[in-house]
Amino acid sequence: MMQLTKKRLAAAAAGAALLLMVLVQLLPFWVALTTALKPVTDLSPQMFLPTEIYLGNFATALEDGNILQAVLNSVLVTGISTLLVCFLGALAAYPLARRLSRLNKGVMLFILSLLMIPPLSIMVPLYSMLTQLHGVNTYWGIILVMVTGHLPLSVFLYASFLRNIPVTLEEAATIDGANLMQTLLRIVFPLLKPVSATVAILAGVSIWNDYSLSVFILTDPAVRTIAPAVGTFFSQESSNLGAAAAASLMALAPVLIAYLFLQKFFMKGMVAGAEK
């Protein structure tokens, strides 16, 4: 009886801890929601719902912040960048995973070392190079920067996952007459769905939320992505918290939908990517 009671207490404590974690995670979303539904004149605490629902902040975000255009720009940049990160990462990881030479091990260590470089530390030479290439305020310029920045992690995860795939599958395809590209496209890449979902979520969310690089590279409102667009509601003179919160909520929808479609593969890819 005593042992059963201890198990119930442990289960209750675990449930309470899990509930607390969920509440902490949902707290920022709740504050954003309550802030977006309040007019500027409402001085009640942000944690409380307003006495009257106010939708003017969403109209302000759409009209003054041009949020719909920013969302479309973010969808374009994030979609193309994520596809390139997945495809190029898988191609680059294949020889590193299949040919375990000293040279490839050195290349992998070099790729991992790139993860330690802070993006802002290379901002000045990066901006100078993009200016010379006429890549500032262009889609291809920001896509090139995002793909380059997220490829190291992509290559690492794909290489770790590929080491767990039996090489006999590729040997059988070669015996059947398939060349290397056919083997990759028909045999190897279809097996990479779990890690591809992981890479897509990690890279996609990071690119969607990027502010530090996008705010310097995309200054034209016509090509501005969602993070710099939300930042326009903050200035030294005044800040429109309600409009910023409304814009953030509208920007959350595409990411949430993508995660709901990919989340069943996410943990599989993370576990496999961590294995050696």
Side-chain angles (χ1 to χ4, degrees):
M1 182 64 69
M2 182 67 70
Q3 187 176 4
L4 182 60
T5 303
K6 289 182 178 181
K7 289 183 178 180
R8 289 179 178 177
L9 289 175
L18 181 60
L19 179 61
L20 179 61
M21 292 176 60
V22 171
L23 293 176
V24 171
Q25 293 292 327
L26 291 178
L27 181 60
F29 174 78
W30 175 256
V31 173
L33 179 62
T34 57
T35 303
L37 297 176
K38 291 180 181 180
V40 179
T41 55
D42 191 338
L43 301 179
S44 61
Q46 292 181 335
M47 290 289 294
F48 299 154
L49 281 172
T51 56
E52 183 179 354
I53 302 299
Y54 176 72
L55 300 178
N57 290 322
F58 291 91
T60 301
L62 293 173
E63 296 173 3
D64 298 343
N66 200 16
I67 292 302
L68 285 183
Q69 182 62 47
V71 170
L72 292 176
N73 293 337
S74 290
V75 170
L76 177 65
V77 171
T78 304
I80 296 177
S81 300
T82 303
L83 289 176
L84 289 175
V85 166
C86 291
F87 183 70
L88 296 178
L91 284 180
Y94 180 77
L96 296 176
R98 286 293 183 247
R99 300 173 183 174
L100 301 179
S101 63
R102 290 185 178 180
L103 176 61
N104 281 352
K105 290 181 180 179
V107 171
M108 180 60 71
L109 289 176
F110 173 74
I111 291 174
L112 291 177
S113 67
L114 295 177
L115 295 173
M116 305 176 187
I117 300 177
L120 290 180
S121 66
I122 60 172
M123 187 64 243
V124 174
L126 178 62
Y127 187 84
S128 177
M129 182 186 69
L130 286 177
T131 301
Q132 295 176 7
L133 296 175
H134 305 287
V136 177
N137 287 323
T138 62
Y139 292 122
W140 69 264
I142 191 64
I143 289 173
L144 179 63
V145 171
M146 293 301 164
V147 171
T148 304
H150 291 84
L151 266 179
L153 180 60
S154 172
V155 172
F156 170 70
L157 291 177
Y158 275 115
S160 300
F161 191 90
L162 280 165
R163 295 191 187 103
N164 298 318
I165 297 178
V167 71
T168 53
L169 297 175
E170 300 159 42
E171 294 173 348
T174 302
I175 293 175
D176 291 338
N179 57 36
L180 178 59
M181 188 56 64
Q182 290 175 331
T183 302
L184 289 176
L185 296 178
R186 297 180 181 180
I187 304 298
V188 178
F189 283 1
L191 298 175
L192 300 179
K193 288 182 180 179
V195 70
S196 295
T198 301
V199 172
I201 290 175
L202 294 177
V205 172
S206 178
I207 295 170
W208 183 273
N209 293 329
D210 179 78
Y211 178 83
S212 58
L213 296 176
S214 300
V215 72
F216 293 105
I217 299 174
L218 303 176
T219 57
D220 186 353
V223 295
R224 185 180 291 155
T225 51
I226 189 64
V230 174
T232 59
F233 293 108
F234 299 93
S235 65
Q236 292 182 350
E237 291 78 17
S238 62
S239 299
N240 192 338
L241 296 179
S248 300
L249 290 176
M250 287 188 285
L252 176 65
V255 178
L256 184 60
I257 293 173
Y259 180 78
L260 290 177
F261 277 104
L262 297 175
Q263 58 90 22
K264 65 180 181 180
F265 299 108
F266 182 71
M267 290 307 299
K268 293 181 181 179
M270 287 298 293
V271 172
E275 294 178 355
K276 296 294 183 181

